[in-house]
Amino acid sequence: MRLAVLTGPDAGRTYPLFPGSHRIGSSESADIVLPDRAVSRQHLILEVSEDGVRAVDPGSRNGSYCEGMRFSELQVRPGAVLTLGTTELKLVPEGEKSRAMPLSSRHSFGGLVGNSRRMREVFTLLERLAAGESDVLIQGETGTGKELCAEAIHAHSPRSKGPFVIADLAGIAPSLLESELFGHVKGAFTGANSDRAGAFERAHGGTLFLDEVGELPLEVQPRLLRALERRQVKRVGANDYRTVNVRVVAATHQDLEGAVKAGRFRGDLFHRLAVLRVVLPPLREHLEDIPLLIDTVLSRLGRPPSALSDQTRALLAQYPWPGNVRELRNVVDRVVNLGEEALPDIPDVPAHGRPMASDDDENTVPMALDLPFKEAKERLIEGFERDYLRTLLERCEGNVSRASREAGIDRVYLRKLLRKHGLDTSSS
Ligand SMILES: Nc1ncnc2c1ncn2[C@@H]1O[C@H](COP(=O)(O)OP(=O)(O)OP(=O)(O)O)[C@@H](O)[C@H]1O
Ligand SMILES: [Mg+2]
């Protein structure tokens, strides 16, 4: 592990972090001296051990921050950026290039917005890779903007005039997956009444977005690998391969490396998909973007920034956002329509696994009528899905397999829906 100085008077310097204690401050006697007038003489202590790095602020005047949040004691994640005064320090894992990704001057890329360091690093990467032809893998928790990111890559690529086709692999019954992706010929199976092109063929000349690629069953993975390697697909029931000109952008909220280790995902397919990788940070790691995100959500709802009071904004800045930007959007939307009663409770404990929606949002359904049609419809459907799933789960006592039988929907798809609404209590 090394400590790289990203900004401030000493920008560009790096320090090795050996096990033990490192005192950081502006004092000449500190182990790591930062000649920054906004840094206290004894500003921060880093305790480096086998278990990782612990940062302790012994009471600096201006405080220590990690990704927008002030801390007095913190277990620091590798790659995290700490801010002391005007100096930003990055904890660089060994083996990683110490040069930080240059920061884009952008505050948005397509529909994604952000002015934090984390998001601007992502924008730099997106600017570079959008222009190319390589396939891309987007990773990130639910609601971090993976779909928005895929759309933006397409829109900024030389293929932007071509089609953008979405194949949601979690929403397709396993028996239909091959036909969805590769197409079928008439009579290939019961119900195949005519020839049909699959997603690959439909995306010819453009971009194919394979959403939730981690859900792809092992049996289908070799065929996807072949399609990626040869850029050729064979419709189910056909004998010949057709050549397609497609750029594939895949996304998953899953830990795919973990799935590879566990034997649920083929390593060769993973490496083929992850030629270029974009990791979208969870919102709790770029809380400083919340004001901009709130304004963006408000303007997308056709509301002025004044639609939310400073007090409400301050409350929203304290919430841990387990459902990331999607949850922020939903909360802002509810608060604007229903008032502050619709604010989520600020939990004392991290809110993972907690249902995202509170009980008072039943009212969102009738409110939707004054929104643009697409959003109103989306909201109505979301409200319906949530109510339906809650009742279903109650009836089935939380048993997902039973719930999937009772509702007549595929289990993988049900899980996806539960996750979307924060109702999935099992670990995934
Ligand atoms: N950085 C961002 N700037 C603006 N809006 C964002 C950003 N990130 C996410 N959103 C918004 O949050 C919502 C969820 O985004 P999106 O559907 O792309 O997430 P996702 O990562 O695909 O989630 P899931 O894994 O649940 O499918 C959308 O309304 C999107 O517009
Ligand atoms: Mg998505």
Side-chain angles (χ1 to χ4, degrees), residues 66-69 104 106-109 112-123 144 280-298 313 316-317 319 321 324-325 328-329 332:
C66 182
E67 274 126 24
M69 200 135 80
S104 172
R106 289 169 175 275
H107 298 288
S108 67
F109 188 83
L112 292 172
V113 303
N115 43 25
S116 63
R117 166 173 292 279
R118 292 297 291 280
M119 287 309 288
R120 280 157 61 213
E121 279 177 357
V122 169
F123 297 157
T144 50
L280 294 174
L283 184 51
R284 63 183 171 281
E285 288 176 12
H286 58 115
L287 291 171
E288 62 269 47
D289 282 332
I290 287 182
L292 175 63
L293 285 166
I294 291 177
D295 289 341
T296 306
V297 171
L298 286 173
R313 285 169 183 263
L316 293 180
Y319 187 64
W321 302 113
N324 296 300
V325 185
L328 176 68
R329 183 202 65 184
V332 169

Side-chain angles (χ1 to χ4, degrees), residues 68 112 174 180 245 298 308 330 339 415 424:
L112 292 172
E180 263 309 308
N245 170 8
L298 286 173
L308 280 190
N330 292 344
R415 281 228 112 89
D424 189 0

Side-chain angles (χ1 to χ4, degrees), residues 146-147 209 211-212 326 416:
K146 296 184 292 295
E147 184 163 342
F209 177 42
D211 201 2
E212 303 291 3
R326 174 183 296 113
K416 181 185 155 84

Side-chain angles (χ1 to χ4, degrees), residues 275-388:
V275 175
L276 293 173
R277 220 173 339 163
V278 181
V279 180
L280 294 174
L283 184 51
R284 63 183 171 281
E285 288 176 12
H286 58 115
L287 291 171
E288 62 269 47
D289 282 332
I290 287 182
L292 175 63
L293 285 166
I294 291 177
D295 289 341
T296 306
V297 171
L298 286 173
S299 96
R300 286 175 190 169
L301 293 171
R303 305 286 188 134
S306 60
L308 280 190
S309 68
D310 289 348
Q311 195 195 358
T312 304
R313 285 169 183 263
L315 280 173
L316 293 180
Q318 290 172 36
Y319 187 64
W321 302 113
N324 296 300
V325 185
R326 174 183 296 113
E327 188 185 12
L328 176 68
R329 183 202 65 184
N330 292 344
V331 167
V332 169
D333 194 343
R334 281 210 304 269
V335 172
V336 165
N337 285 299
L338 301 176
E340 296 197 352
E341 304 82 76
L343 275 173
D345 295 330
I346 307 292
D348 301 328
V349 286
H352 293 276
R354 200 179 66 95
M356 261 162 52
S358 53
D359 280 331
D360 53 13
D361 56 10
E362 259 88 35
N363 308 335
T364 49
V365 172
M367 301 298 298
L369 296 176
D370 55 0
L371 291 174
F373 176 74
K374 192 162 167 266
E375 272 165 43
K377 185 173 152 200
E378 196 181 310
R379 189 119 64 86
L380 199 77
I381 291 173
E382 280 192 2
F384 155 75
E385 283 177 350
R386 201 164 46 230
D387 293 349
Y388 183 92

